[in-house]
Amino acid sequence: SVFVNHIVYPHFIKELKDSNKRSAVLHVFLCGVLPLLGCERLMAVASDLVVDIALNRDNWSSSHQPILADTLIILCKQKELRLEVIGMLWNHIVHEAPQVRIVLVQLFDSVIPALPFADVGTRVLPALITLGNDPCIEVQCAAVQAMGRVATCAADTPAVMEKVNAQFQFYMDSETPVLVQALVDVLVTIIPSASLTFKESVIIPKLLNVGSRNNATTDKVVRANIARKLLEAYKAISTSPWIGEKMGKDVLSGLDMLMRDGDKVLDSAFKRQVAGVAHTITSAGVSPSASASTSLPLSSSATSNNNNNNNNATTTTTTTTSPAPAAP
């Protein structure tokens, strides 16, 4: 309207120029004033804010990003604006400044819960895959976190989870320790919400893969950091009520890798934590594999199970090797 365009809008522009007031009026301006002036104008202002906040232009800073993110979440809940917001964010994917692309990933991460699964899979996920292959490692790390959000929100959508798994594998194959650490962090966060199948077929195999490679890492600082993150993941799994025999054995194998610390990279306190997680699992009646049982402390139930298994194996061997009776 004329009133909004010539009276209200200029007033808010004046207020926004005052860095001491902009935080208080920004949300009202974006959600209450600009929508009255049309979608195109709203998206233009939001697009400029993405860049200004990322590059700290005109006294805009990261402190204003949560306000912008909250605004975009509200807009995404409106069907007529949802695709406009996603399209506006897409326009920055190839921005020359990595700071802008990092903020872009974080904003995608923020709006994912406000979007229907269909839009997450067809519009947001392709953007995150593109940003996950960004030449800037900081952008890739931010994309790992957002990919974890996709996995959490779309846990029951096999087609989406298949793409998430493929992107996780890309991070797994990275030779950059910080990216691998970011991946393990994300796996920890999605363990509670991931489906049992995804845990068994994707999360645990990837943790075991990381653990195996980590034991061969010569950089002791990197090795210790990743080992601690792996332990966090195994703790999250061990405290879940759905852990079964197969999953328990796999986790014990991962803990076994952490205990086999030939270079003494990890201190005794860490080893005690590993032992505690192993005890939690074996107390539930899960027995480690033969190779893992040599380095892990066993609960009494697991020890009994192992002894029974060994006795059964001995009996079987004796029976098998006994000479056959002579033919009459």
Side-chain angles (χ1 to χ4, degrees):
S1 69
V2 175
F3 177 74
V4 174
N5 198 27
H6 293 283
I7 304 296
V8 178
Y9 179 80
H11 171 73
F12 272 86
I13 291 297
K14 180 181 178 180
E15 295 292 295
L16 287 170
K17 289 180 179 179
D18 186 339
S19 58
N20 294 320
K21 296 181 179 179
R22 59 177 41 157
S23 293
V25 301
L26 179 59
H27 187 74
V28 176
F29 179 63
L30 291 173
C31 287
V33 177
L34 286 177
L36 299 175
L37 299 177
C39 179
E40 184 176 349
R41 199 163 182 179
L42 170 60
M43 290 303 131
V45 172
S47 180
D48 288 343
L49 278 174
V50 172
V51 178
D52 290 342
I53 288 172
L55 300 181
N56 295 323
R57 293 195 311 204
D58 298 328
N59 291 322
W60 291 98
S61 69
S62 58
S63 66
H64 301 107
Q65 185 173 329
I67 303 174
L68 177 58
D70 289 344
T71 299
L72 295 182
I73 289 171
I74 292 174
L75 297 177
C76 281
K77 292 180 179 179
Q78 302 177 43
K79 186 176 180 180
E80 65 275 12
L81 293 176
R82 183 183 303 142
L83 297 184
E84 297 294 336
V85 172
I86 296 175
M88 179 274 293
L89 294 176
W90 259 96
N91 290 336
H92 294 293
I93 282 182
V94 293
H95 196 284
E96 61 182 6
Q99 302 98 308
V100 173
R101 302 197 300 275
I102 291 171
V103 168
L104 177 63
V105 174
Q106 293 167 346
L107 291 174
F108 268 125
D109 187 14
S110 297
V111 302
I112 286 171
L115 297 172
F117 288 160
D119 287 337
V120 172
T122 60
R123 300 178 184 277
V124 176
L125 185 56
L128 295 179
I129 291 174
T130 300
L131 292 162
N133 290 271
D134 195 275
C136 175
I137 191 64
E138 286 82 4
V139 177
Q140 289 188 40
C141 286
V144 176
Q145 298 296 326
M147 196 65 68
R149 176 87 69 176
V150 172
T152 301
C153 293
D156 297 324
T157 311
V160 172
M161 296 305 286
E162 182 178 350
K163 294 178 181 178
V164 169
N165 182 27
Q167 192 62 25
F168 281 171
Q169 189 59 48
F170 169 78
Y171 301 136
M172 280 282 302
D173 296 336
S174 170
E175 297 297 326
T176 307
V178 66
L179 193 55
V180 176
Q181 292 177 44
L183 174 61
V184 177
D185 279 339
V186 167
L187 294 178
V188 171
T189 63
I190 68 176
I191 282 171
S193 60
S195 67
L196 182 61
T197 300
F198 194 77
K199 293 182 182 85
E200 290 183 334
S201 63
V202 176
I203 294 179
I204 292 181
K206 282 180 169 43
L207 293 175
L208 294 175
N209 191 319
V210 171
S212 177
R213 289 165 49 183
N214 193 49
N215 276 5
T217 300
T218 56
D219 187 321
K220 294 185 177 182
V221 174
V222 169
R223 181 174 170 183
N225 287 340
I226 292 180
R228 291 188 181 95
K229 293 183 181 299
L230 286 170
L231 180 58
E232 289 180 28
Y234 294 136
K235 280 181 179 178
I237 296 171
S238 70
T239 55
S240 301
W242 38 255
I243 189 167
E245 181 73 15
K246 180 184 182 302
M247 196 179 299
K249 283 183 178 295
D250 286 341
V251 173
L252 289 173
S253 295
L255 295 170
D256 174 62
M257 292 182 199
L258 295 179
M259 291 294 282
R260 296 179 185 276
D261 178 30
D263 297 334
K264 306 299 181 185
V265 172
L266 302 165
D267 57 26
S268 57
F270 177 85
K271 297 290 183 65
R272 286 194 295 271
Q273 291 183 61
V274 175
V277 177
H279 186 269
T280 298
I281 297 174
T282 57
S283 294
V286 178
S287 301
S289 62
S291 59
S293 64
T294 60
S295 65
L296 294 174
L298 303 182
S299 67
S300 57
S301 60
T303 303
S304 175
N305 287 341
N306 269 1
N307 289 338
N308 289 337
N309 290 338
N310 290 336
N311 290 336
N312 291 338
T314 302
T315 302
T316 301
T317 302
T318 302
T319 302
T320 301
T321 56
S322 297

